[in-house]
Amino acid sequence: MKAEKDKVVAVAYILKVDDGESGQELYETVGEDSPFYFLFGHQNVLPKFEEAIAGKAAGETFSVSIDFENAYGDYDDAKKTIIPKANFKEDGKKNRDLLKVGNVIPMQDDKGNQMRGEITKVDYRGVHMDFNPPLAGYDLFFEGKIIAIREAQPVEIEHGHVHGPDGHHHH
């Protein structure tokens, strides 16, 4: 079976990133014992990543360099903002556990678009948040191996994403 549209592909990989100044640095390792599963052909991974494994079979290796323009784009200072602390109250109380530097919080903009923001600082002005993707501005270097490929379940194709390795993820 080959990596192609509507197949669930499991990959193990090492991801190195380069910010253009300090050279390649290890960012993430996904081992063969707990691979990353995705539904091929449904825009769940970067297009260049998918191109690198298209047509390959389980057991084959891949290597791909993706420059920042084809990955997550430039880092954009306009995606940093300060949100009033009052916006984070639950039942009228400040949620101290939520407002910690490094927490990534799912949020919604005024048009209803889903976004994820990382808390970078909390001070008297409010909650400083960064809505840039974590790898914005970085060139990416993947080296990996295809661990498994299976047919996608009809519900996975309908939803456009994997429901766990064996199709048993409920949401």
Side-chain angles (χ1 to χ4, degrees):
M1 192 174 296
K2 303 274 187 208
E4 60 190 17
K5 186 165 174 55
D6 296 339
K7 301 283 193 254
V8 172
V9 179
V11 294
Y13 61 84
I14 293 172
L15 169 59
K16 293 180 180 173
V17 299
D18 187 342
D19 62 5
E21 291 177 31
S22 37
Q24 287 188 23
E25 295 178 5
L26 180 64
Y27 181 81
E28 180 180 40
T29 301
V30 175
E32 292 187 29
D33 54 336
S34 57
F36 170 67
Y37 289 82
F38 70 97
L39 183 59
F40 196 97
H42 287 262
Q43 299 170 344
N44 293 315
V45 296
L46 295 168
K48 295 280 184 196
F49 183 86
E50 214 166 64
E51 282 175 24
I53 63 171
K56 292 188 182 288
E60 290 191 63
T61 59
F62 62 91
S63 178
V64 61
S65 297
I66 306 173
D67 60 15
F68 70 91
E69 292 99 341
N70 289 299
Y72 296 100
D74 259 325
Y75 187 88
D76 183 358
D77 275 327
K79 291 183 177 175
K80 291 164 57 176
T81 189
I82 300 173
I83 299 172
K85 290 182 202 172
N87 291 19
F88 294 91
K89 286 189 174 179
E90 290 179 6
D91 304 323
K93 295 189 183 102
K94 189 161 103 177
N95 186 339
R96 290 193 188 280
D97 293 334
L98 184 66
L99 298 182
K100 290 196 182 343
V101 171
N103 278 0
V104 176
I105 302 171
M107 308 217 26
Q108 208 169 330
D109 68 11
D110 54 2
K111 296 181 185 77
N113 297 314
Q114 298 293 318
M115 312 177 321
R116 293 168 58 84
E118 180 180 354
I119 296 175
T120 57
K121 182 174 162 185
V122 180
D123 65 12
Y124 69 95
R125 294 182 296 166
V127 180
H128 298 245
M129 297 195 69
D130 185 345
F131 289 95
N132 279 288
L135 293 174
Y138 286 91
D139 294 329
L140 312 180
F141 304 91
F142 289 93
E143 284 193 31
K145 181 178 177 183
I146 298 172
I147 305 305
I149 301 173
R150 68 167 171 82
E151 293 290 340
Q153 304 293 319
V155 70
E156 291 174 317
I157 294 169
E158 182 183 324
H159 289 185
H161 59 258
V162 175
H163 285 198
D166 299 312
H168 296 296
H169 175 75
H170 300 283
H171 51 106

